[in-house]
Amino acid sequence: MQTSEQTSRRNFIKIAAAAGGGLFLGFNWLNSSALPVVVDAKKVAAGSVNFNSYLSIGTDNVITIISPNPEIGQGIKTAFPMVVAEELDADWKQVKTVQGNLDTGIYERQVTGGSGAVPHSWERLRKAGATARYLLVEAAAAQWNVPASECTTENGKVWHRTSGKSLSYGELAEAASKMPAPTEVKLKKESDFKLIGQSVRNVDNNNIATGKPLFGLDVYREGMLFAMIQRPKAFGLKLKSVNSEAAKAMPGIVDVVTFENSVAVVGKSTWQVKKAKDALKIEYEKAAELESSADHNRIFQQLMENGEATVRRKNGDVDTAFKNAAKVIKSEYQCPFLPHSPLEPMNFFAHVREDGVELIGPTQTPERARTEVAKLTGIAPEKITVEITRQGGGFGRRLAADFVLEAANVSKLVKAPVKVIWTREDDMTGGIYRPAVRYRFEAALDKSGELIGYKLRGVGMNSGNSTREDNFPSGSVENLLIDSVEYKSPITTGPWRAPITNFLAYAEQSFLDEVAEAAGKDPVEFRLALLEKAKKSPVGDIKYDVDRMIDVIKLAAEKSKWGKKKGVYQGFSVYFSHRSYVAQVGEVVMEKGKPVLKNVIAAVDCGIVINKSGSLQQVRGGVVDGLGHAMYGNMTFKDGAPDQRNFNGFRLIRMNDIPEVDVHFVDNGISPTGLGEPALPPAGGAVANAFYKATKQRLRNQPFINEEAFKGIS
């Protein structure tokens, strides 16, 4: 049986036409300053060179690169080759991408999370393309016996305009592989970009549309068994006893095994194991308090008043500022637990053998998957391969490795290759939710309406630090206190798209509108004035770029015609996260006496936009995701068990709920920053502030649909 590494090498060489020779460049993902080096194609084809992060140009003109980061729909598998192709002056139709598998010896940060893949790899990819172009030009110049300076590149060819000669990259590939590698290369100016900034279709679109096996759910191996797992039905319960006789007697069932706090049914098809899982008779006993949503409200209030707080940031004399204030504004905001709800439920394949482990599936953190399985099995990490599939959504859920460990556990116990599959109910009730949080904000104003004091306390359930103490308005207020209180709940939580800021941004930006109103100031001008203070007289460390935030605010105000539209109620929000800046304006109109969300205008500074269509999709998707969960997303608990078990009980945003989303990018020439997450945090605040303008009622709790001010609207 081929290992996943061998399979990937074989596929790569087939695509890159290694048998016919060509140009292979190995480039160092661990060192952005290192230039790529030429690798002998024959050695690659023979397998005598370790499978590396190659850029290849085959004699058939096909250009292939390895994309190491997991693709979860954020478009990284398209963006990476676009950067290479730009510097290479390649014909985009000849560019192919191969998904790289886990290799910590070559790759650094082989993770999808935190919107950090492009910022990490930008320079590395550009240098790979520029080095290949240099070698091709040198090869052409030598063949024509002309100076390299007289040669140009365009659309996959090297040209000598004076003589009218041209050679394709494929024709030059082998000669280029024999040229000495450069010690330095010159990268293009942004003004010379031809591909970057254009709209390019996702490289997997055709395979997705035609049903090609790309996803974890598509994985199949000869002799593979299927498994579904019954976990405790409530958080705080533990396994007491299992009666599996009826399940084992059902058709297609191979075994029923238990491990830790779970019962796995293993069989020959998903339907057979699902039916058998339903036939299990399991008793549980209490291991912790079985919490309900009513308990959480009580706990929040107690901890807000009396919890042991950790000071996250303190500037100036906060007590004196509030004591001397002409006006104090105080508000609380709360959000519920939320599931991640990716379209593709959790699944993973594992084959645990005595001499190694094969892992295949959708994971945002392949190294974590390998490390955790190594601990479980006692098998050395270097004997564990991880093949990364395309993923039907992640949103932070696949940063965890629990579903990987389940597959490894079952495979180890039944001594066979196994694919674990979660049902939608498993996915909804299996835990690792967005933490539930409550915030209390307080602001002190002087007689002229200036903000002289600011306090924020966050109480989070398994959230760690529920604040972002260094984000705006920190740095702009002389007297400021931000602290947090942590509550350990048996309900498991983890990162959820734009962790913490997904709710904090809504709460902060809604509260700043409250403060602006109390000060008698326009919300946009109020924020800009605070940022000017941060620029001229910063208070403590400022970890955001004041000018970039000012620019994105001004762009959003300009594009939305802020305050100038008759019959349109506008709400403003701006946030910095994952190195990027996004300002949004929500627009509400009254129809038949009810407020209706019509538009969201988004201004985005994420540095250079690589793929315009992909970037637009990321921003629009982030806005829709943020709106949907702010307005409708809700997970409640009764005695430790989720009330919502599938989409028939969990309200998602619907097509007719989605407003127009108008996106504008700041063109500042800065190297790309994050984009997968930054558009989500400001969305809730922009809409909540717009609804307030229309109704004069604040939306202080998510989901909005449960608020009195929102009832009857949707």
Side-chain angles (χ1 to χ4, degrees), residues 439-607:
Y439 294 111
R440 174 182 289 172
F441 296 90
E442 298 176 65
L445 298 175
D446 64 13
K447 292 180 181 179
S448 62
E450 294 296 310
L451 181 60
I452 60 172
Y454 181 89
K455 290 195 286 188
L456 164 61
R457 170 164 293 181
V459 178
M461 294 190 169
N462 301 339
S463 64
N465 176 13
S466 58
T467 71
R468 289 292 181 265
E469 62 273 11
D470 294 324
N471 279 7
F472 178 75
S474 294
S476 67
V477 186
E478 187 174 353
N479 306 292
L480 175 142
L481 174 64
I482 297 177
D483 59 26
S484 66
V485 180
E486 175 75 348
Y487 173 73
K488 296 297 183 183
S489 169
I491 299 172
T492 56
T493 64
W496 192 95
R497 190 176 187 180
I500 302 300
T501 61
N502 58 65
F503 177 73
L504 175 59
Y506 146 74
E508 284 181 339
Q509 292 297 305
S510 296
F511 180 68
L512 283 177
D513 259 38
E514 293 193 55
V515 179
E517 183 180 50
K521 298 180 179 180
D522 174 82
V524 171
E525 294 303 322
F526 181 70
R527 289 168 173 82
L528 288 173
L530 286 174
L531 286 164
E532 287 297 337
K533 284 185 179 180
K535 184 175 181 178
K536 294 176 181 177
S537 303
V539 181
D541 293 336
I542 295 182
K543 297 185 179 179
Y544 54 92
D545 189 311
V546 174
D547 287 327
R548 290 179 72 184
M549 184 170 277
I550 288 174
D551 288 346
V552 84
I553 289 173
K554 289 181 176 179
L555 180 61
E558 173 197 339
K559 296 299 182 181
S560 66
K561 298 181 180 178
W562 175 258
K564 297 176 182 178
K565 295 180 178 178
K566 293 183 179 180
V568 177
Y569 300 92
Q570 295 180 313
F572 191 83
S573 180
V574 63
Y575 215 71
F576 160 67
S577 66
H578 305 283
R579 310 168 200 81
S580 293
Y581 301 79
V582 180
Q584 294 176 18
V585 176
E587 295 188 335
V588 168
V589 299
M590 299 300 292
E591 293 183 355
K592 297 179 181 180
K594 293 182 179 180
V596 178
L597 177 63
K598 286 291 187 180
N599 299 295
V600 173
I601 296 92
V604 182
D605 177 0
C606 60

Side-chain angles (χ1 to χ4, degrees), residues 226-233 242-244 246-251 253 255-257 262-267 269-282 284 406 420-427 429-430 645:
F226 297 86
M228 288 188 180
I229 296 173
Q230 182 62 60
R231 303 162 193 86
K233 295 184 177 181
V242 181
N243 184 335
S244 59
K248 286 182 176 179
M250 295 177 74
I253 301 306
D255 205 351
V256 176
V257 295
S262 302
V263 183
V265 180
V266 187
S269 75
T270 54
W271 181 245
Q272 288 173 323
V273 297
K274 183 182 184 303
K275 296 295 289 183
K277 187 182 83 164
D278 294 340
L280 292 171
K281 296 179 181 178
I282 303 176
Y284 296 99
E406 287 179 341
V420 165
I421 298 177
W422 293 37
T423 64
R424 177 57 59 194
E425 288 81 6
D426 291 334
D427 212 55
T429 63
R645 300 181 56 81

Side-chain angles (χ1 to χ4, degrees), residues 63-93:
I63 299 165
T64 309
I65 74 161
I66 303 298
S67 183
N69 289 65
E71 172 62 66
I72 61 171
Q74 83 281 35
I76 201 68
K77 197 175 173 184
T78 304
F80 272 18
M82 282 184 68
V83 177
V84 175
E86 177 64 74
E87 291 290 349
L88 184 54
D89 273 340
D91 178 354
W92 177 250
K93 294 188 290 293

Side-chain angles (χ1 to χ4, degrees), residues 280-338:
L280 292 171
K281 296 179 181 178
I282 303 176
E283 284 189 86
Y284 296 99
E285 57 186 353
K286 191 174 175 181
E289 287 300 316
L290 305 181
E291 297 176 352
S292 300
S293 293
D295 299 321
H296 297 153
N297 292 330
R298 173 179 50 79
I299 292 166
F300 274 136
Q301 198 58 47
Q302 289 175 348
L303 293 178
M304 189 64 73
E305 301 298 339
N306 304 309
E308 183 178 346
T310 300
V311 174
R312 302 295 179 176
R313 179 167 179 149
K314 186 174 183 181
N315 298 125
D317 188 342
V318 178
D319 291 340
T320 300
F322 275 84
K323 181 180 178 180
N324 296 334
K327 186 181 291 186
V328 172
I329 304 93
K330 182 177 179 179
S331 291
E332 292 191 11
Y333 291 78
Q334 186 168 317
C335 73
F337 292 98
L338 284 181

Side-chain angles (χ1 to χ4, degrees), residues 193-216:
F193 286 166
K194 298 175 184 177
L195 183 61
I196 288 177
Q198 301 303 308
S199 292
V200 174
R201 293 178 181 176
N202 189 291
V203 296
D204 282 336
N205 276 0
N206 185 64
N207 287 335
I208 293 171
T210 55
K212 295 296 190 298
L214 298 175
F215 298 90

Side-chain angles (χ1 to χ4, degrees), residues 22-38:
L23 172 63
F24 280 77
L25 296 181
F27 53 101
N28 191 342
W29 291 89
L30 304 178
N31 184 356
S32 62
S33 63
L35 287 177
V37 295
V38 177

